[in-house]
Amino acid sequence: MGASNGIMELGAELGLYGMIVITDENTPTVDREIILCFNDLYETDIPQIQQDFDCFNGYAFLGNTPTFEVKVGERVRWRVMALGKDFHVFHLHGHRWLFNMRYDDSIVFGPATTITFDYVEDNPGTWLYHCHVTDHMMGGMIGYYIAKP
Ligand SMILES: [Cu+2]
């Protein structure tokens, strides 16, 4: 790990990050906005952990990652970003949304990129959102999304 570069990278891996969202008067409003960051914690970088973790907003594994709640009829916007070195596949069960001119339920995105999409919630239930890269999901990138009737 390099001197100043390594310190900055470790800070991001430990959760020192955020998202700046730039909007203007033409940005459609929504009822719920969900901010989700994909990040990895590597045991080679952090001596206090005994294994690698694949995290959402700094947390890993179902029940520990953020649970997002929305209501049917609400316009929901996801703002998703990736830190670290890996490509990811955002996936939400039970939903499809318009993204890049087609309806999709899984989006591939790379390091230091963001994706944003909206939909009107119309499918009540308790759903999973997760990374569709199997190693990432098994390493903790999975959470609950609850759409209340
Ligand atoms: Cu992933």
Side-chain angles (χ1 to χ4, degrees), residues 13-134:
E13 289 183 8
L14 292 175
L16 294 174
Y17 55 78
M19 180 182 284
I20 297 172
V21 176
I22 299 171
T23 63
D24 65 18
E25 65 276 4
N26 298 315
T27 304
T29 59
V30 293
D31 302 301
R32 300 278 178 174
E33 195 162 57
I34 295 170
I35 306 292
L36 184 65
C37 179
F38 288 55
N39 69 296
D40 304 296
L41 300 176
Y42 298 106
E43 65 171 313
T44 52
D45 295 334
I46 305 168
Q48 293 85 352
I49 63 174
Q50 303 296 310
Q51 67 180 72
D52 294 343
F53 291 96
D54 299 290
C55 300
F56 286 139
N57 294 353
Y59 297 91
F61 297 110
L62 204 56
N64 192 40
T65 50
T67 296
F68 301 112
E69 292 188 7
V70 304
K71 293 179 185 163
V72 169
E74 289 182 329
R75 176 161 282 283
V76 178
R77 177 171 295 147
W78 289 76
R79 294 188 183 275
V80 183
M81 67 178 178
L83 294 176
K85 308 162 192 160
D86 293 332
F87 277 76
H88 300 284
V89 182
F90 175 87
H91 176 62
L92 173 61
H93 288 197
H95 293 75
R96 286 180 180 269
W97 54 87
L98 190 61
F99 188 78
N100 285 346
M101 311 280 285
R102 69 176 193 171
Y103 283 92
D104 215 336
D105 67 358
S106 300
I107 300 176
V108 178
F109 66 118
T113 60
T114 62
I115 51 175
T116 300
F117 52 90
D118 300 1
Y119 54 84
V120 175
E121 181 56 61
D122 64 355
N123 199 1
T126 298
W127 304 101
L128 294 171
Y129 67 93
H130 61 88
C131 182
H132 233 302
V133 176
T134 304

